[in-house]
Amino acid sequence: MRLLILIPLILYTFGCASVRVSSVKEVKSENDFWVRYVEYTPKRGEQKRGVIIVPPTGGVNFIDRSYAKNFAGKGATVKVLSDWKKPHANRIDLNLHQDYNQAAVKAISALADTFPKDYGVALLGTSEGGMYAQLAAIHVDRIQTVLVIGSGAPIREIIATSHYETMTNLKRARFEKYGFKTNEEYSAAIKPVFPMDDNYSKIANSKKLGVIYM
């Protein structure tokens, strides 16, 4: 595992006059799967580098936009993922996590494919976006460099112990339906139906990875 020099990536910078910001763009693939994003491009000094930013719970925020302006100001083409076609979330079955995360990884993959083939592609994800970034690092070959902020793995353990309201409500409903008694039992039940949440050694062995715990 090769840790990145993280400090330059997280410093706040004011918006650069040398950056172009697009309106929301959309890319579509098979089965009417769609992805929406905002693109930041340098007005000059463009390099063969692409960056995908995956925001935290709550969507794109001021910090995501400042990251994008910073990277674009240094010559990268940046695409901030804003939305994508997701499965219905009003489910309590354990397969939900595989379906939901599979859609997120598909969205990241679709964005990675929009960069020219000779571009190096990096990925930055925060919180929930960091979990998606971890999985994309395993399953999307175009991704070469990954920075994860305020997230962790295995994801099933985060699901089982999260204090986020949506997750605690889901946990309560599942404990009642399936008869789980402990977090360990709950996490173990998710594992066989969430195969994406595995094989993190592939990131360590083949990707540049940086992790910031909060």
Side-chain angles (χ1 to χ4, degrees), residues 30-91:
E30 74 281 357
N31 300 321
D32 201 31
F33 185 81
W34 51 266
V35 181
R36 296 186 184 124
Y37 65 98
V38 175
E39 187 173 65
Y40 292 71
T41 53
K43 288 183 179 178
R44 55 183 177 274
E46 184 172 358
Q47 302 176 17
K48 293 182 178 181
R49 295 187 294 126
V51 179
I52 298 171
I53 296 177
V54 190
T57 305
V60 179
N61 57 44
F62 174 78
I63 297 175
D64 298 315
R65 289 189 286 269
S66 70
Y67 289 150
K69 290 175 183 176
N70 187 10
F71 294 142
K74 291 177 170 59
T77 297
V78 184
K79 304 189 180 190
V80 180
L81 182 59
S82 59
D83 199 8
W84 62 93
K85 186 178 181 180
K86 305 178 181 75
H88 291 293
N90 57 343
R91 296 163 43 186

Side-chain angles (χ1 to χ4, degrees), residues 195-211:
M196 291 189 77
D197 187 32
D198 213 343
N199 197 23
Y200 288 100
S201 63
K202 182 176 179 181
I203 310 176
N205 293 334
S206 64
K207 311 281 181 168
K208 293 180 180 179
L209 171 66
V211 180

Side-chain angles (χ1 to χ4, degrees), residues 54-129:
V54 190
T57 305
V60 179
N61 57 44
F62 174 78
I63 297 175
D64 298 315
R65 289 189 286 269
S66 70
Y67 289 150
K69 290 175 183 176
N70 187 10
F71 294 142
K74 291 177 170 59
T77 297
V78 184
K79 304 189 180 190
V80 180
L81 182 59
S82 59
D83 199 8
W84 62 93
K85 186 178 181 180
K86 305 178 181 75
H88 291 293
N90 57 343
R91 296 163 43 186
I92 67 169
D93 62 279
L94 300 178
N95 298 68
L96 172 63
H97 305 293
Q98 175 73 9
D99 294 345
Y100 214 80
N101 285 274
Q102 204 164 32
V105 170
K106 185 175 181 178
I108 292 168
S109 180
L111 273 194
D113 285 343
T114 63
F115 291 106
K117 293 188 182 299
D118 59 344
Y119 273 46
V121 181
L123 180 60
L124 166 63
T126 304
S127 185
E128 183 180 31

